[in-house]
Amino acid sequence: MDVSHILDSLNDEQRNAVASPAQNLLVLAGAGSGKTRVLVHRIAWLMQAEGVSPFAILAVTFTNKAAREMRGRIEELVGMSFGGMWVGTFHGLAHRLLRSHWQEAGLAEDFQILDADDQLRLIKRLNQSLRIDEERWPARQCQWYINSQKDEGLRADNIEHFDDEYTKTMLQIYKAYEEACERGGMIDFGEILLRAHELWLHNPQILQHYQKRFQYILVDEFQDTNTIQYAWLRVLAGRDNQLMVVGDDDQSIYGWRGARIENIQQFSKDFPDTETVRLEQNYRSTANILNAANKLIAHNQGRLGKNLWTDGAEGEPIYIYEAFNEQDEARFIVDRLQDWSNDGNQRADAAVLYRSNAQSRELEDALLRVGMPYRIYGGHRFYERLEIKNALAYLRLLVNRHDDTSVERVINVPTRGIGGRTVETIRQVAREHNCSLWQACVESSNQSLLSSRAANAVHGFLQLIDDMAKACETLELHEKAEYIVQNSGLIKHHEKEGGEKARARIENLEELVTAASSFDDPGMGEEEIDLKSTSLLAAFLDQASLDAGDTQADASEDAVQLMTLHSAKGLEFQLVFLAGMEEGLFPHKMSMDNLVGLEEERRLCYVGITRAKSKLYMCYAESRRLHGDVNLCRPSRFIKEIPQDLVEEIRLKTTINRGFSAGIGNGSSLGSGRSLRNDIEVPNTEISLGQRVAHGKFGEGVVLNYEGQGSNARVQVNFDAVGSKWLVLSYANLEVLG
């Protein structure tokens, strides 16, 4: 068979990776270097050049969207469909294993997946039963502890508390949580991987079967793997299977959620016969942007090493803008975006990236003022919206009445007269009888533990679920969804809210029915989910839980993209703004005091820079209001780490020139030589920013910032003697000097 077409479109390094005969392969793929292309062509090469069966290949990605795209590209390249090939996320593939081997994994056949919100609800309920002080030990902290231990492959029984009060308390909650999940037939996201890992360790015959089957394992975004994911891979790979991992240690930015950069750094040691291939040719950005990224990331230690380059144009310099405050920064960015749009460019080709979600408010206000459409990328996703979660809870109760989180979510939604005291009584019965909330509802009614009114309301809820389940037995999946949406009372419940919000919620519920109607039978091979043992509805609910972890922007009109730097990973735009490039904001103050945290912040900046294809702005403000306080700012060290010959400072007519580099590392306050813009007026007053004023008590100072207009405006003045103060003009009686 002629396989030359597989290599024809690749550069030399990509060919080396695709056609490598190595037992194990580490591909260091720089930003924009075509890593997905290499993965897809590698799979095609294995099948067509080396005669490997598609059933012997396992490909792991980090999002369901990426998995679908990879499968589509493989089929397009090879020219045929391979339904039996396992391509998916870690969680998706591990979930598939558990559905096939639920009994060996010690699970109920109809086990349910808890999403993060339902997990938190369960922990809150357990903390109440354990009489845990919520103020001292918040449920979210307990949730973080449990998930982080599972990411490390640790169960409660594996952890020593050494008489430490914090650890003892967390372990008490962890153990109670494990028991509740076991009792309710539930597993969370972390449990999916941990249980799948234990499945292999405790069942050598099952492990041997999959090791024999999956002789070729390929992993994307390897730098983002955590401890349990890497352990899962190592067990499956064993000694004989071929493992190819693709990643970039310079783009490892998820340490805060368990990703271990050490996995990619030590891969060659764990697999001594590994060949390393570096993909350094970038097909995205201009030379100036790449050179800036290279110089920045070179300040990190312990890198595996690579240098991005392009045979494309040198491009424009990196533009640096020093704003007076966050409002000026937002105004500047929006002005540039308007110029961009007016020049005939697509707004969706422009992105504003920021370190903290709190930064978006000012940008959104500025965009709204000029009527420019924008989209917050990575905001609330479809399956995380309140009305959708409520509808899914009703659907879950059709599958499993003993799903405590679903019972608790909708027992009084819509309101049906079941108040907090009644729910607490039901919880108490569940604890005393060690049973589910559903059973406790039945017991509470039968034993007359509730008032007649409350008992009738609880009985009505139980009857509603049973009646809907009976009515849905013979219906198609989408008909089930439509029946639940219409007959649960959710539509009428949200109609009572009124306004646009209510309409949006109802449209979302209608979209859930559409999602159900387009849901495909997941059976793709002999080892796929057996729909006799788990209904199509259960499979749909599982997929809804898994999809809730994906970050996908909704399709809409042409709009500017706003997002955090973490959300920007994997994306690219012609025009990029990095906003808030200030010490304490980026790098974040929580990461500045230790080398590990600071280097991850620098990698995050590297990711931000390499999102830009042709034009990049870095903006910082002299003063910024964060969390209600106004702070005087210093430019980020990351700006200083980019060579001067690659950057150009933007000087507006209203600016008194001062080089940005002069202020880096300078702790001097405003009023001692820093630049001010003196033609920005406080609306409907005689005061401008940068103007010197006098106050009867505080003396003389300089106007730095303002909010509002006219006599009700508040101004920030940096007084020579007492520092920065916010004053209301109608009371301050400021005297304008000169």
Side-chain angles (χ1 to χ4, degrees), residues 35 44 64 69 263 297 468 486-487 490 519 534 536 544 641 702 718:
K35 68 178 179 61
N64 290 311
E69 289 177 352
N263 292 348
I297 203 64
M468 289 196 298
Q486 294 294 336
N487 292 275
L490 289 176
F519 181 70
T534 177
L536 192 61
E641 291 171 356
V702 179
N718 191 49

Side-chain angles (χ1 to χ4, degrees), residues 691-712:
Q691 206 163 38
R692 286 193 67 78
V693 295
H695 184 270
K697 179 180 178 181
F698 302 131
E700 294 186 7
V702 179
V703 180
L704 302 180
N705 202 349
Y706 75 89
E707 291 180 348
Q709 57 183 331
S711 61
N712 292 324

Side-chain angles (χ1 to χ4, degrees), residues 5 189 236 329 408 485 539 602 607 657 716:
H5 69 284
F189 263 42
L236 178 59
E329 177 188 56
E408 188 157 21
V485 165
R602 187 175 284 111
V607 167
N657 289 347
Q716 181 193 20

Side-chain angles (χ1 to χ4, degrees), residues 386-402:
L386 178 139
E387 62 275 14
I388 298 302
K389 291 173 75 66
N390 288 341
L392 290 176
Y394 276 107
L395 287 167
R396 286 194 173 97
L397 289 175
L398 302 189
V399 177
N400 177 17
R401 302 290 198 283
H402 306 294

Side-chain angles (χ1 to χ4, degrees), residues 499-514:
E500 287 293 330
K501 190 172 184 179
R503 280 195 289 271
R505 290 195 190 281
I506 293 167
E507 288 171 1
N508 284 333
L509 289 170
E510 292 169 347
E511 182 60 26
L512 180 65
V513 178
T514 303

Side-chain angles (χ1 to χ4, degrees), residues 17-43:
V18 167
S20 173
Q23 173 66 20
N24 296 298
L25 192 60
L26 169 61
V27 180
L28 292 176
S33 63
K35 68 178 179 61
T36 305
R37 185 181 188 82
V38 166
L39 274 168
V40 168
H41 282 69
R42 174 67 171 178
I43 292 172

